[in-house]
Amino acid sequence: MRYFLFSLFTFTLLMSCVDKKEKAEKFLPDASGAINNVSVVTENEYWVGRVGEVIRQVLAQPIYGLPQDEPMFTISQIPPSVFSGFVTKNRTVLKVETNKPAGITFTENVYAKPQKVIVVSGKTKEEIIAVVKENEAKIIETFRNSELDERQRQMAKSPHKFNTIKEKLGLTLKFSSIYEQAKQEDNFFWFRKDITTGHSHIMLYELPFDALTRNDSTVSQIIKIRDSIGQAYFKGRLDGTVKANGETVSSFMVTESAYTPFFGETIVDNKPALVTKGLWELTNDFMGGPFINYMIEDKVNKRWVVVEGFIFAPSVEKRNYMLELESVIKSVKIE
C-alpha cells in the first residue's frame, strides 16, 4: 500500500510538472527571425575576441556544395544587457554565460515557440572555447534541424495536391502548392517553381534494389544514375538546335566533373539513405547550380526511392533555397 501511494504521488507530481510546462508554453509568443539566422548573446569583449572567433568559425563556416562560399548561418550578436523583449523571440539562440561551471545545455521554447536555445558556459574564455569546439557538430545539427522543421512548417500552410505521388510511388512528400508539375511519366515526377532569378526543382523516382551496390564505387554509381536521368528528362535550351555546320546540339544536365561531390549517409523515415551534394551543369550551355540527392533504401518494397533537389539561381545566394529542398526531401514518408 505504501509503495502504491508513493507511486501515485510521484505520478501526480510528474503530471503536474508536465501540465505546468505545457501551460507556460501555451502563452509563449510566436518565434520570429529569418531562416538560417542565429542570435548569439554574449558580451562585446567576448565577441571581438577569441570566443567570438571560435563561434564564427563554427556557425559561419562555408556550406559545402554551393558554387560560391556562403556561411552556414547568418549571425547577429546581442549583448546580454539588451537581450530582452522582441530580440528574445528569434528561433535559434546561442547564449554565452560567464563565471559558471563549464558546460552546455540544449533547451527549447524558452522565450518563444518554436525555439531552440543553446547555453554555453565556462569560468574562463578557454573553458567556453573548449565547450564550443567539443560540441560543434551537435550545435550545428540542433540549429540546422530547427531551420529544416521551420521550413516544413511554413510550406505546410499551403500544401500541394499532387495525389498521384502516393498512387504511383506509395509515399508522401511535403512541399508547397507554389510548385508546378513539370513532368510525370510512369513513376517519375518532376516539379518546379520560379524563384528570384531562376527556378527550383524537385525530382522523384524509384529504382530497382539491384540498381545500386554499396561498395567503393557507390558515389560513381550514383553520379552515373543521376546523369542518365538528367539526359533523359532535363534538356537544355539549345538541345535539338542545329549549328551552322549542320551539327545538332545535344544539351542536358550532368554532374560537374571538376567539383568533387560530398557523400554521406543519414536516416530518412527510419530508413538508411545515401546523400550526395554537388554541382550540376548543362552540356553545351552555360547553366548550372547546386544539387542535393537522397537515395533512400526501401528494403520492404525492394527498391531505392530517389529524391533530388536542384536550383538554377545565378547572381543570388542559394543557401536558403537549398535548405528548402532538403526540408522537402526529409519529409518523405514511405508506406
Side-chain angles (χ1 to χ4, degrees):
M1 183 67 177
R2 183 181 301 173
Y3 176 77
F4 172 77
L5 291 174
F6 176 77
S7 299
L8 182 62
F9 172 76
T10 303
F11 176 76
T12 304
L13 183 63
L14 288 172
M15 291 305 295
S16 176
C17 291
V18 171
D19 188 51
K20 288 180 179 178
K21 182 181 178 181
E22 289 179 348
K23 287 182 178 178
E25 290 187 359
K26 184 178 180 180
F27 295 102
L28 285 173
D30 292 336
S32 60
I35 287 287
N36 287 323
N37 194 307
V38 177
S39 293
V40 176
V41 184
T42 185
E43 298 289 356
N44 292 336
E45 65 172 291
Y46 276 67
W47 184 245
V48 299
R50 288 175 295 141
V51 172
E53 181 180 351
V54 170
I55 292 174
R56 288 188 291 275
Q57 287 174 354
V58 172
L59 296 180
Q61 60 182 282
I63 301 173
Y64 193 86
L66 299 182
Q68 293 88 29
D69 281 351
E70 294 184 40
M72 186 166 292
F73 300 101
T74 300
I75 306 172
S76 301
Q77 183 254 338
I78 304 171
S81 59
V82 298
F83 186 65
S84 61
F86 179 78
V87 295
T88 65
K89 296 179 183 178
N90 197 56
R91 271 191 325 281
T92 47
V93 178
L94 175 67
K95 291 184 68 178
V96 176
E97 296 186 348
T98 59
N99 299 317
K100 291 186 177 181
I104 187 169
T105 59
F106 297 81
T107 55
E108 57 185 35
N109 302 341
V110 178
Y111 311 100
K113 64 177 182 181
Q115 184 183 58
K116 297 290 184 181
V117 178
I118 300 175
V119 179
V120 176
S121 58
K123 293 184 178 180
T124 65
K125 294 178 180 178
E126 287 71 24
E127 285 186 350
I128 293 170
I129 290 171
V131 170
V132 172
K133 288 183 175 180
E134 289 170 7
N135 294 275
E136 175 179 349
K138 192 172 181 180
I139 291 170
I140 292 174
E141 180 184 23
T142 298
F143 285 153
R144 183 160 177 77
N145 286 341
S146 174
E147 298 305 83
L148 288 167
D149 290 343
E150 174 61 17
R151 199 67 195 95
Q152 287 182 352
R153 188 185 71 83
Q154 292 175 358
M155 288 192 294
K157 295 177 181 178
S158 178
H160 72 83
K161 294 181 173 61
F162 298 113
N163 298 323
T164 49
I165 296 175
K166 186 174 182 179
E167 295 170 5
K168 292 286 187 178
L169 293 174
L171 58 84
T172 59
L173 188 71
K174 296 180 180 179
F175 54 90
S176 66
S177 59
I178 195 173
Y179 282 87
E180 299 176 346
Q181 184 168 288
K183 192 176 188 64
Q184 194 259 305
E185 185 176 298
D186 297 326
N187 292 338
F188 173 87
F189 292 85
W190 168 19
F191 305 95
R192 60 165 286 167
K193 77 167 184 177
D194 292 333
I195 55 180
T196 306
T197 64
H199 26 86
S200 180
H201 304 260
I202 302 166
M203 290 200 298
L204 174 65
Y205 54 96
E206 64 180 3
L207 296 170
F209 203 61
D210 60 1
L212 182 70
T213 304
R214 289 175 179 269
N215 54 34
D216 293 340
S217 68
T218 301
V219 179
S220 298
Q221 295 175 59
I222 293 173
I223 297 305
K224 186 176 180 180
I225 290 169
R226 76 170 304 274
D227 285 355
S228 67
I229 293 294
Q231 183 173 5
Y233 296 106
F234 196 83
K235 303 291 187 177
R237 297 165 296 181
L238 303 178
D239 186 69
T241 59
V242 180
K243 296 181 179 179
N245 62 4
E247 181 183 345
T248 301
V249 176
S250 176
S251 181
F252 54 88
M253 182 173 69
V254 295
T255 306
E256 186 176 314
S257 58
Y259 187 90
T260 303
F262 162 87
F263 176 74
E265 299 191 31
T266 188
I267 300 294
V268 176
D269 190 31
N270 297 317
K271 297 171 181 61
L274 306 178
V275 185
T276 309
K277 300 178 183 180
L279 300 180
W280 65 272
E281 63 181 351
L282 289 180
T283 59
N284 298 312
D285 204 338
F286 299 100
M287 290 178 64
F291 75 85
I292 179 168
N293 178 291
Y294 274 59
M295 300 191 73
I296 305 167
E297 189 175 359
D298 183 9
K299 292 182 179 179
V300 174
N301 297 300
K302 297 180 181 179
R303 62 175 180 169
W304 292 92
V305 172
V306 186
V307 193
E308 177 170 322
F310 61 97
I311 64 169
F312 174 66
S315 305
V316 298
E317 293 185 343
K318 302 164 181 60
R319 177 189 67 183
N320 293 354
Y321 292 130
M322 294 305 294
L323 179 105
E324 175 178 304
L325 292 174
E326 188 169 358
S327 73
V328 170
I329 294 171
K330 289 191 172 182
S331 71
V332 168
K333 298 294 180 184
I334 300 173
E335 295 183 345

